Amino acid sequence: RHHPGRSLLVIAFALGGQPLAAQDASPPPHGFIATRYDTHTSSNIFVGYSLGPVTPMVALVQNPRSTYRESILGLVRFTRPGQHLALTYAIAAAHVTDSDRSWYAQLYLLPTLTAGSVEVSGTLEGYVPLDSKGVGQFALNPGNVFFRLAPRWKVGAVTVLSTQSNAPYSLGAGPSLQFGVPHGSITLDVVANVTRWNTEERVSFFTSY
């Protein structure tokens, strides 16, 4: 029922495979802004600001080519389980408007693993319906593998996977390019159809402060 390619939570925050949790000894950011434009699936914007040990966030996910829309309110937490591993997770409530209106509980998990010039990251999303009109959903959106070519440039691949109850999964994959900017990144993706995914281009921007 839901349009594939909803959020990134970005928090990755993402969007584009850039984690909020830093890979060095610097403290977590006070806040973040993450946004992504998709040429076919839903575009989004996530904004958060830290208040003590947690970071409240608000987000909007919308596909202007359909009636699909999500309004999201949640809490984000950043951790560093190991020297080369960063982990961001979040819980949220979402009101979804499509062919009908439904409420969902959401769980986001964003691990990032670095080893030398290689970085592997993912945004895992789970949707649990809170009323009878909703359907359970799971997505990897996006998953990235990057190789650092220069201090500001990374090149690699992106994959997206969307599943929901009683429906076939959708899968897409393609090349990805990321350019580092102060406190963030700009990412360009081309997601080609593998199985039931509409080929699209994506532009993502992420910054922390």
Side-chain angles (χ1 to χ4, degrees):
R1 176 180 301 176
H2 287 176
H3 202 286
R6 297 170 301 279
S7 348
L8 213 274
L9 190 199
V10 174
I11 289 182
F13 288 129
L15 290 146
Q18 176 68 32
L20 285 183
Q23 300 302 309
D24 54 23
S26 60
H30 294 295
F32 67 89
I33 301 173
T35 185
R36 186 182 71 217
Y37 171 76
D38 297 8
T39 59
H40 187 82
T41 53
S42 299
S43 300
N44 56 57
I45 183 169
F46 288 77
V47 179
Y49 189 82
S50 295
L51 298 174
V54 297
T55 302
M57 73 166 184
V58 295
L60 178 64
V61 180
Q62 185 173 17
N63 189 333
R65 292 161 291 275
S66 72
T67 60
Y68 189 85
R69 179 187 179 100
E70 291 182 35
S71 301
I72 301 170
L73 179 64
L75 295 174
V76 184
R77 177 72 172 172
F78 313 103
T79 64
R80 295 186 184 86
Q83 181 179 2
H84 302 288
L85 177 65
L87 181 65
T88 301
Y89 60 92
I91 57 173
H95 183 242
V96 175
T97 302
D98 196 355
S99 56
D100 51 31
R101 298 174 182 268
S102 303
W103 283 93
Y104 286 83
Q106 298 178 323
L107 174 64
Y108 297 90
L109 183 65
L110 297 98
T112 299
L113 179 66
T114 57
S117 60
V118 179
E119 176 184 292
V120 180
S121 64
T123 300
L124 304 171
E125 310 172 45
Y127 281 58
V128 179
L130 299 179
D131 54 46
S132 60
K133 295 180 292 185
V135 292
Q137 299 170 72
F138 172 80
L140 169 64
N141 188 15
N144 286 93
V145 177
F146 279 116
F147 299 89
R148 186 179 298 277
L149 296 180
R152 290 192 175 187
W153 289 96
K154 298 177 185 178
V155 63
V158 60
T159 186
V160 291
L161 171 68
S162 178
T163 68
Q164 67 181 44
S165 301
N166 303 318
Y169 70 89
S170 299
L171 179 66
S176 187
L177 179 67
Q178 188 175 96
F179 176 70
V181 297
H183 307 293
S185 63
I186 298 173
T187 305
L188 305 177
D189 298 317
V190 177
V191 183
N193 174 44
V194 176
T195 303
R196 292 176 292 274
W197 192 278
N198 292 291
T199 298
E200 64 177 344
E201 294 75 43
R202 298 176 164 193
V203 179
S204 308
F205 171 73
F206 169 84
T207 186
S208 61
Y209 54 90

